[in-house]
Amino acid sequence: MNLTEDPAARRSANGEAYPASAGHDHVHAGTGSPAPRKAPREEPGGRGAREGDMTALPPDHTQAILETTKQVGAVLKALGCPFALVGGVAAYAHGIPVRLQHDTDFAVRREDAEAVTNALRENGIRIVEPPEDWLVKARSGGEEIDLIFSLAGRPVTTELLDRAQTLPVDSVHMPVIAPTDLLVSRLMAFSEHHCDFGTLLPVARGLRERVDWARVRQETEGAPMAEAFLYLLELLRVLPTHGTADPGGAERS
């Protein structure tokens, strides 16, 4: 899920410039020496965006976000409250080569929210209380952190966190949401106003053999955008046509 921003911003951003290319050298009149090149001007809202380049992507925050993830993960592990990494960084931990640009997301139980926020504050992480009652936002090292109590309208439960798999995240081991739960949470977050299949498609492809697709279908039944995405996977032959053998089967550790 991206956790950097409020939900609307995160969906148009789970952030995305380049320095302007240097032009030809000009010669100072009367000297024959090349004129010094001017430093590239930064575009508002972007770091080093190329002037006039509307397609320039934002900088890759992958390593910075991973460092923040490890910092928060270490605090939560020391605290002892159950949690799981979710969203784009969870996909990264499962081996999907996603580009991290927005934030890092952690699922925690609502009853642990106070203990978690206090522990983060004590470790120098700034807590920002949002207007929503389904998450707490924080910041560290310039990166956004989301502590989520509800995934796509469904409360984070002990059972969900118990299914998490312990995986290395850039050398630090921590609980990561299971592949099936990751797909369900991402699919159920789709709506008429947020339906970017392109970001989820590589995740579904990469995890297809580790996902219990029968449970995904069951838990997303009746959700139009989720059902449309699953049908797209059938057309792309990522999944067999509904009713035939499922390549995923039971989740693997």
Side-chain angles (χ1 to χ4, degrees), residues 1-2 4-5 7-16 101-103:
M1 286 186 147
N2 313 338
T4 136
E5 329 111 27
R10 178 168 60 247
R11 284 167 176 164
S12 59
N14 264 81
E16 305 179 358
Q101 293 171 296
H102 308 301
D103 54 14

Side-chain angles (χ1 to χ4, degrees), residues 37-142:
R37 293 175 177 175
K38 295 181 180 179
R41 188 185 67 174
E42 287 193 355
E43 289 293 322
R47 287 180 277 189
R50 181 176 296 148
E51 293 182 27
D53 185 357
M54 301 304 291
T55 63
L57 292 175
D60 186 351
H61 287 211
T62 296
Q63 193 56 45
I65 289 175
L66 290 177
E67 293 300 323
T68 299
T69 299
K70 293 189 291 183
Q71 178 189 15
V72 175
V75 172
L76 297 181
K77 286 169 65 177
L79 179 63
C81 287
F83 73 95
L85 187 62
V86 297
V89 188
Y92 182 95
H94 279 296
I96 309 303
V98 295
R99 189 178 181 204
L100 306 177
Q101 293 171 296
H102 308 301
D103 54 14
T104 184
D105 305 333
F106 292 85
V108 297
R109 301 178 305 183
R110 186 181 296 275
E111 56 263 37
D112 295 327
E114 184 175 357
V116 167
T117 53
N118 288 340
L120 293 178
R121 282 193 186 98
E122 290 170 3
N123 283 271
I125 296 172
R126 183 165 64 89
I127 302 298
V128 181
E129 299 291 345
E132 298 81 10
D133 62 358
W134 57 275
L135 86 164
V136 166
K137 289 183 175 293
R139 287 187 67 87
S140 179

Side-chain angles (χ1 to χ4, degrees), residues 141-160:
E143 301 301 328
E144 302 276 354
I145 304 156
D146 283 356
L147 306 168
I148 306 172
F149 317 132
S150 177
L151 290 171
R154 301 179 178 186
V156 172
T157 63
T158 301
E159 292 73 25
L160 174 79

